[in-house]
Every structure is written in C-alpha cells, then in structure tokens.
Amino acid sequence: MSDLERVIADIIRSEGPLSIARFMALALHHPELGYYTRGDPLGPHGDFVTAPELSQAFGEVIRAWFAQAWLDLGRPAPFRLVELGPGRGTLLADALRATRTVAGFHDGMRLHLVESSERLRATQAARLAGFDPTWHARLDEVPSGPLLLIANEFFDALPVHQLVATTGGWVERCVDLDAEGRLAFRPGEHPSPLGADLPPAPAGTMTEVSPARSALAEAIGRRIARDGGVALIIDYGAWAEGPTGDTLQATRRHAPCDPLDAPGTADLTTHVDFHALAGAAASGGASVYGPVPQGTFLTTLGIHLRTAKLMERATAEQQRALRAALFRLTDASAMGELFKVLALAAPDAPAPPGFARPTLRPC
Ligand code: SAH
C-alpha cells in the first residue's frame, strides 16, 4: 500500500466514497504525495514520453506555428506566450531557440508558464532562463493581452467524473474501500446532478464528464475573444458525441497499470473529449478549428522537411532516433491518429496556421 493510498483510505473512512475527479486530483496533486508533486514523470527514469521529448522537430514545427500565427495576428506587442503544463520546458526551449529570427517576436513576447509542480518549475527555470518566464498556478493569473497559448498533454491530466447509466438514471462511479480495506470502484447510490442533462443510456454504459476541462476551455475562449490571439490544444482523445466509455488509464515505467494500485506512483489520465472542449471554447466566444489528427497537422506544417534538415547534421544513431520519432509522431499506428490538434481563434481573426475553416463558431 502506498503512503497516499493510506491517506486516501482515511479520507474515504471519514467522508465517504470519492468521485473519480477527487481521486485523480489527490493522486496527481496531493501536496506531499501526489504524482506531480513528488517527481519528474518525464525524466530519464520517468513513466511516459511526450511529443517534444521525442524529437526536436516537434518544437520546431510549433515554432513555425507560433511565428506564422503572430504575423497573421498583425504582430501584436506586447503579447502573452502561455504554455499550460510545460513539463521539462523542452517544447518551448526548442521552439524559442529559433524565433529570434522573427523580427519583433522576442521583444514583444512575455512568457507565462502555468505549472503546479515546484520540481518541474525548477527544471523549466533552468531550460528557459534566457526568456524571463513568469509562473502561475492558474490561467486566470496571467495578465490580459493578446494570447499565443499552447497545451500539449495538459488537458488529459485534469480530473474527470465518471458516470454509469442505471435504470434510475446516471450515477457517479466512485472510489470506495472493499471488505479488506483496499481501494475499489463502486457505483454511487443516487442519480448524479452531473448526469441531469445526459440522454438515458442502457444500464452499465459509462461516460466521462469534466467540468474542470470545460471551464478551462471556456476561459481560454473568453480570453481570446476579448484580447485576441490563438490557442493550440494537443492531446489524445476523440470527438465523442455520445458516451465516452471508461478511458481512465494509469501508466508507470511506460506500461499500463491498475489506476487504483499505489496512487501517487503512476500517471493518471483519461482521453480528452474534443467535442466537449470545442463546445466549451465556442461558448466562451472563440472560433474552433479541428480537431485534426496530429499526423496530419505535423505533416501540413512541414515536420518531414524539418526532420530531414536535422538529419543532415546528425550521426547515424541520431538519424535512426529522428526517423523513429517521426514515425511515432505521425503514423496512424502510433501517435498520429489518436492524438488530435484543436485550435482556437477570435471570431474576426484569420484561420490559425494549418487550419482552413472553423468547425464551430462562437455560440
Ligand atoms: N507539456 C509537457 C508536459 C506534459 S505532462 C510535454 O508535452 O512534455 C503534464 C504537465 O502539466 C506537467 O508539467 C504537470 O506538472 C502539469 N500539470 C498537470 N496538472 C496541472 C494542473 N492542474 N495545473 C498546472 N499544471 C498541471
């Protein structure tokens, strides 16, 4: 039993079963024992690898996107470059290395990082020392102004509630204690207010709803509509118009594991419901573009060319790694199809680079 499992068991004994959202928040962010509080999930001995950690070419594509988006917005200065959950700071380190060649970009840029982990903030400070970042616990702490925002594998870590259909309506799936005092899933006894607007479904159907994700998408949409700017949201998930099913997954040392086993020692995520995210952003006032598969987005923005350029100066071993990363990022059998890219822009602004027409307009 992990230390955090004992803490969670005590909370359940005194307060009753926990929603999956509360369980996720404790497992990831408990002030001493949470997964993100304790260590660096992306480090050399980490649990999972993200796109910017796979290949420098990813950050360079994002650099091109930032630069073109900023030019298309009419070179606003100053502007807020915001990353939600920058991890080890790799994406921005790769992207900002080359934006110096875009006249005026660095003079106008104010860098803001939204990060909950003190440890990762320290890593980010070391990687991004030359760019004078300011850290925030939440997006709403970032001062107003035109926005260039990126969130790669951030939304998947925000808590979701899981609902189970019963003949009496949607009940919340909870984490409770079994007869031996171990953590166990159990459906709630009463219909949940979170299921009030959901159409009925056959008993046993599961779906996920995330007020936290929707509130953030709506807040980004509102800011972009008010101050101008664009946002790029990249994550794994689907456009779910019906029930999402159960997508809760735990990852330890690059392998799936039981989400209830030793909480705080494994990453815990669910797939992102892009339909819900898009609707929330549009209700905040933004135009929504995509989602498009990551493979399509990266190919449109020239990742093959960028990889070829990096290969020119690489050793044979580096070339192999670059080729493998390109495949992993773009191929449908790897991250190319499961990962999606959603963009947001102000209703009167041009389409963000890599996108043509909005999927949704503000509502
Ligand atoms: N974007 C990075 C890291 C993804 S991991 C990459 O692609 O490599 C998720 C990141 O979000 C980590 O930096 C984690 O500490 C941060 N994070 C997770 N939940 C958060 C929250 N609620 N508030 C702020 N940061 C959070």
Side-chain angles (χ1 to χ4, degrees), residues 121 125 245 295:
R121 283 186 182 199

Side-chain angles (χ1 to χ4, degrees), residues 3 17 35 49 94 96 115 118 133-134 145 176 179 190 201 237 248 266-267 324 328 353:
D3 291 345
Y35 178 69
V49 177
D94 289 339
L96 297 181
E115 175 57 64
E118 287 302 329
T134 310
D176 200 358
H190 307 290
L248 184 65
D267 186 34
R328 213 163 141 189

Side-chain angles (χ1 to χ4, degrees), residues 1-6 9 13 180-183 262:
M1 195 182 253
S2 65
D3 291 345
L4 186 56
E5 192 170 348
R6 265 185 280 279
R13 275 187 212 99
E180 278 94 54
R182 304 301 303 244
L183 301 178

